[in-house]
């Protein structure tokens, strides 16, 4: 469930994002890709990649609605579902959660492990350098 917290910097209420399970992520990816969608349309899209029954997909949609990650138009028949949170917001929250759980909030060990394991192209390295240069400037701009 979503809870409200206070943004200490600006002292205003901020909505926390819901915690979404791996299975719920799959449903949200479908909704983010194109919505509003009926449960039947979500089921059809997921049939190509997941071995889930229609009942499972409907249960996941109901959980996402209960968590306030998605909603539906009550005036449409059948109901048409749509996301209430953006993919980018959820990715950012999941990244912060992962960083906190696995690396005690420290980004450097994550980056070191990633760079040791991944083979990056020269283009990817240049893009990373550019991002690092931009974020290391006092004003945070490039």
């Amino acid at each position: 469930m979503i809870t409200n917290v206070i943004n200490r910097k600006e002292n205003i209420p901020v909505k926390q994002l819901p915690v979404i399970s791996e299975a719920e992520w799959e449903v949200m990816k479908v909704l983010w890709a194109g919505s509003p969608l009926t449960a039947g349309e979500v089921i059809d899209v997921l049939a190509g990649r997941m071995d889930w029954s229609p009942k499972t997909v409907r249960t996941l949609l109901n959980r996402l609605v209960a968590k306030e990650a998605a909603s539906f138009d009550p005036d449409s028949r059948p109901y048409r579902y749509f996301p209430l949170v953006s993919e980018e917001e959820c990715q950012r929250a999941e990244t912060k959660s992962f960083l906190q759980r696995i690396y005690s909030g420290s980004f450097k060990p994550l980056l070191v492990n990633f760079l040791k394991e991944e083979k990056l192209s020269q283009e990817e390295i240049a893009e990373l350098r550019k991002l690092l240069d931009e974020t290391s400037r006092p004003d945070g701009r490039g």
Side-chain angles (χ1 to χ4, degrees), residues 1-39:
M1 195 63 124
I2 298 177
T3 57
N4 286 327
V5 294
I6 300 295
N7 177 329
R8 292 181 189 156
K9 194 174 188 178
E10 298 169 14
N11 201 30
I12 56 173
V14 175
K15 227 178 191 185
Q16 271 191 334
L17 295 173
V19 176
I20 300 172
S21 72
E22 286 186 45
E24 292 163 347
W25 266 95
E26 292 301 320
V27 174
M28 288 300 291
K29 285 179 193 175
V30 173
L31 294 177
W32 286 320
S35 54
L37 296 170
T38 65

Coordinates of all heavy atoms in Angstrom, one line a residue, residues 1-39:
M1 N 0.8 -1.2 0.0 CA 0.0 0.0 0.0 C 0.9 1.2 0.0 O 2.0 1.2 0.6 CB -0.9 0.0 1.2 CG -2.0 0.9 1.2 SD -3.1 0.5 -0.2 CE -4.6 0.4 0.7
I2 N 0.4 2.3 -0.6 CA 1.2 3.5 -0.6 C 1.0 4.3 0.7 O -0.1 4.3 1.2 CB 0.7 4.4 -1.8 CG1 1.0 3.7 -3.1 CG2 1.4 5.7 -1.8 CD1 0.5 4.4 -4.3
T3 N 2.1 4.8 1.2 CA 1.9 5.6 2.4 C 2.5 7.0 2.1 O 3.3 7.2 1.2 CB 2.7 5.0 3.6 OG1 4.1 4.9 3.2 CG2 2.1 3.7 4.0
N4 N 2.0 8.0 2.9 CA 2.5 9.3 2.7 C 3.7 9.6 3.6 O 3.7 9.1 4.8 CB 1.4 10.3 3.0 CG 0.4 10.4 1.9 OD1 0.8 10.2 0.7 ND2 -0.8 10.7 2.2
V5 N 4.7 10.3 3.1 CA 5.8 10.6 4.0 C 6.1 12.1 3.8 O 5.5 12.7 2.9 CB 7.1 9.9 3.6 CG1 7.0 8.4 3.9 CG2 7.5 10.1 2.1
I6 N 6.9 12.7 4.6 CA 7.2 14.1 4.5 C 8.6 14.3 3.8 O 9.6 13.7 4.2 CB 7.3 14.8 5.9 CG1 5.9 14.6 6.6 CG2 7.7 16.3 5.8 CD1 4.8 15.4 5.9
N7 N 8.6 15.1 2.8 CA 9.8 15.5 2.1 C 10.5 16.5 3.0 O 10.1 17.6 3.2 CB 9.5 16.1 0.8 CG 10.7 16.6 0.0 OD1 11.7 17.0 0.6 ND2 10.7 16.6 -1.3
R8 N 11.6 16.1 3.7 CA 12.3 16.9 4.7 C 12.8 18.2 4.1 O 12.9 19.2 4.7 CB 13.4 16.1 5.3 CG 12.9 15.0 6.2 CD 14.0 14.3 6.9 NE 13.4 13.1 7.5 CZ 14.1 12.0 7.8 NH1 15.4 11.9 7.5 NH2 13.5 11.0 8.3
K9 N 13.3 18.1 2.8 CA 13.9 19.3 2.2 C 12.8 20.4 2.0 O 13.1 21.6 2.3 CB 14.4 18.9 0.8 CG 15.3 19.8 0.2 CD 15.9 19.3 -1.1 CE 17.0 20.1 -1.7 NZ 17.5 19.5 -2.9
E10 N 11.6 20.0 1.6 CA 10.6 21.1 1.4 C 9.4 21.0 2.4 O 8.5 21.8 2.3 CB 10.1 20.9 -0.1 CG 11.2 21.0 -1.1 CD 10.7 20.6 -2.5 OE1 9.5 20.4 -2.7 OE2 11.6 20.4 -3.3
N11 N 9.5 20.0 3.3 CA 8.4 19.9 4.3 C 7.0 19.8 3.8 O 6.1 20.4 4.3 CB 8.5 21.0 5.3 CG 7.9 20.6 6.7 OD1 7.9 19.5 7.0 ND2 7.4 21.6 7.4
I12 N 6.9 19.0 2.7 CA 5.6 18.8 2.1 C 5.3 17.3 2.0 O 6.3 16.5 1.9 CB 5.4 19.4 0.7 CG1 6.6 18.9 -0.2 CG2 5.4 20.9 0.8 CD1 6.4 19.4 -1.7
P13 N 4.1 16.8 2.0 CA 3.8 15.4 1.9 C 4.2 14.9 0.5 O 4.0 15.6 -0.5 CB 2.3 15.3 2.1 CG 1.8 16.6 2.7 CD 2.9 17.6 2.3
V14 N 4.8 13.7 0.5 CA 5.2 13.1 -0.8 C 4.6 11.6 -0.7 O 4.7 11.0 0.3 CB 6.7 13.0 -0.9 CG1 7.1 12.2 -2.1 CG2 7.3 14.4 -0.9
K15 N 4.1 11.2 -1.9 CA 3.6 9.9 -2.0 C 4.7 8.9 -2.2 O 5.5 9.1 -3.1 CB 2.6 9.8 -3.1 CG 1.3 9.1 -2.8 CD 0.4 9.2 -4.0 CE -1.0 8.7 -3.6 NZ -1.9 8.6 -4.7
Q16 N 4.8 7.8 -1.4 CA 5.7 6.8 -1.6 C 5.2 5.8 -2.7 O 4.0 5.6 -2.8 CB 6.0 6.0 -0.4 CG 7.1 6.6 0.5 CD 7.6 5.7 1.6 OE1 6.8 4.8 2.0 NE2 8.8 5.8 2.0
L17 N 6.1 5.3 -3.4 CA 5.7 4.3 -4.5 C 5.4 3.0 -3.8 O 6.0 2.6 -2.9 CB 6.7 4.2 -5.5 CG 7.0 5.5 -6.3 CD1 8.2 5.3 -7.2 CD2 5.7 5.8 -7.1
P18 N 4.5 2.2 -4.4 CA 4.2 0.9 -3.9 C 5.3 -0.1 -4.2 O 6.0 0.1 -5.1 CB 2.9 0.5 -4.6 CG 3.0 1.3 -5.9 CD 3.6 2.6 -5.6
V19 N 5.4 -1.1 -3.3 CA 6.4 -2.1 -3.5 C 5.7 -3.1 -4.5 O 4.6 -3.6 -4.2 CB 6.8 -2.8 -2.2 CG1 7.7 -4.0 -2.5 CG2 7.4 -1.8 -1.3
I20 N 6.3 -3.4 -5.6 CA 5.7 -4.2 -6.7 C 6.5 -5.5 -6.8 O 7.8 -5.5 -7.0 CB 5.7 -3.4 -8.0 CG1 4.9 -2.2 -7.9 CG2 5.2 -4.3 -9.1 CD1 5.0 -1.3 -9.1
S21 N 5.9 -6.6 -6.8 CA 6.5 -7.9 -6.9 C 7.0 -8.1 -8.3 O 6.6 -7.4 -9.2 CB 5.6 -9.1 -6.5 OG 4.6 -9.2 -7.5
E22 N 7.8 -9.2 -8.5 CA 8.3 -9.4 -9.9 C 7.2 -9.7 -10.8 O 7.2 -9.3 -12.0 CB 9.3 -10.6 -9.9 CG 10.7 -10.2 -9.3 CD 11.7 -11.3 -9.4 OE1 11.8 -11.9 -10.5 OE2 12.4 -11.6 -8.4
A23 N 6.2 -10.5 -10.4 CA 5.1 -10.8 -11.3 C 4.3 -9.6 -11.6 O 3.8 -9.3 -12.7 CB 4.2 -11.9 -10.6
E24 N 4.1 -8.7 -10.6 CA 3.4 -7.4 -10.8 C 4.1 -6.5 -11.8 O 3.5 -5.8 -12.6 CB 3.1 -6.7 -9.5 CG 2.1 -7.5 -8.6 CD 2.1 -7.1 -7.1 OE1 3.1 -6.3 -6.7 OE2 1.2 -7.5 -6.4
W25 N 5.4 -6.6 -11.8 CA 6.2 -5.8 -12.7 C 5.9 -6.2 -14.1 O 5.8 -5.3 -15.0 CB 7.7 -6.0 -12.5 CG 8.4 -5.0 -11.6 CD1 8.6 -5.2 -10.2 CD2 8.9 -3.8 -11.9 NE1 9.2 -4.0 -9.8 CE2 9.4 -3.1 -10.8 CE3 9.0 -3.1 -13.1 CZ2 10.0 -1.9 -10.8 CZ3 9.6 -1.8 -13.1 CH2 10.0 -1.2 -12.0
E26 N 5.7 -7.5 -14.4 CA 5.4 -8.0 -15.7 C 4.1 -7.3 -16.2 O 3.9 -6.9 -17.4 CB 5.3 -9.5 -15.8 CG 6.7 -10.2 -15.6 CD 7.7 -9.7 -16.6 OE1 7.4 -9.6 -17.8 OE2 8.9 -9.5 -16.2
V27 N 3.1 -7.3 -15.3 CA 1.8 -6.7 -15.7 C 2.0 -5.2 -15.9 O 1.4 -4.6 -16.8 CB 0.7 -7.0 -14.6 CG1 -0.6 -6.3 -14.8 CG2 0.5 -8.5 -14.5
M28 N 2.7 -4.5 -15.0 CA 2.9 -3.1 -15.2 C 3.6 -2.8 -16.5 O 3.3 -1.8 -17.1 CB 3.7 -2.5 -14.0 CG 2.9 -2.5 -12.7 SD 1.4 -1.4 -12.7 CE 2.2 0.2 -12.9
K29 N 4.6 -3.6 -16.9 CA 5.3 -3.4 -18.2 C 4.3 -3.3 -19.3 O 4.4 -2.5 -20.2 CB 6.3 -4.5 -18.4 CG 7.6 -4.3 -17.6 CD 8.5 -5.5 -17.9 CE 9.6 -5.6 -16.9 NZ 10.4 -6.8 -17.2
V30 N 3.3 -4.2 -19.3 CA 2.2 -4.2 -20.3 C 1.4 -3.0 -20.2 O 1.2 -2.3 -21.3 CB 1.3 -5.5 -20.1 CG1 0.2 -5.4 -21.1 CG2 2.1 -6.8 -20.3
L31 N 1.0 -2.5 -19.0 CA 0.3 -1.3 -18.9 C 1.1 -0.1 -19.3 O 0.5 0.8 -19.9 CB -0.2 -1.1 -17.4 CG -1.2 -2.2 -17.0 CD1 -1.6 -2.0 -15.5 CD2 -2.5 -2.2 -17.8
W32 N 2.4 -0.1 -19.0 CA 3.2 1.1 -19.4 C 3.4 1.1 -20.9 O 3.5 2.2 -21.5 CB 4.6 1.0 -18.7 CG 4.6 1.3 -17.2 CD1 3.9 2.3 -16.6 CD2 5.3 0.7 -16.2 NE1 4.1 2.4 -15.3 CE2 5.0 1.4 -15.0 CE3 6.2 -0.4 -16.2 CZ2 5.6 1.0 -13.8 CZ3 6.8 -0.7 -15.0 CH2 6.5 -0.1 -13.8
A33 N 3.4 0.0 -21.5 CA 3.6 -0.1 -23.0 C 2.5 0.5 -23.7 O 2.6 1.0 -24.8 CB 4.0 -1.5 -23.4
G34 N 1.3 0.3 -23.2 CA 0.1 0.8 -23.9 C -1.2 0.6 -23.1 O -1.6 -0.5 -22.9
S35 N -1.7 1.7 -22.6 CA -2.9 1.6 -21.9 C -3.8 2.8 -22.2 O -3.3 3.8 -22.7 CB -2.7 1.4 -20.4 OG -1.9 2.5 -19.9
P36 N -5.1 2.7 -21.9 CA -5.7 1.7 -21.0 C -5.9 0.4 -21.8 O -6.1 0.4 -23.0 CB -7.0 2.4 -20.6 CG -7.3 3.3 -21.7 CD -6.0 3.8 -22.2
L37 N -5.9 -0.7 -21.0 CA -6.1 -2.0 -21.6 C -7.1 -2.8 -20.7 O -7.2 -2.6 -19.5 CB -4.8 -2.8 -21.6 CG -3.7 -2.3 -22.5 CD1 -2.4 -3.0 -22.2 CD2 -4.0 -2.4 -23.9
T38 N -7.9 -3.6 -21.3 CA -8.8 -4.5 -20.6 C -8.0 -5.7 -20.0 O -6.8 -5.9 -20.4 CB -9.9 -5.1 -21.5 OG1 -9.3 -6.0 -22.4 CG2 -10.7 -4.0 -22.2
A39 N -8.5 -6.4 -19.0 CA -7.8 -7.5 -18.5 C -7.6 -8.5 -19.5 O -6.5 -9.1 -19.6 CB -8.7 -8.1 -17.3

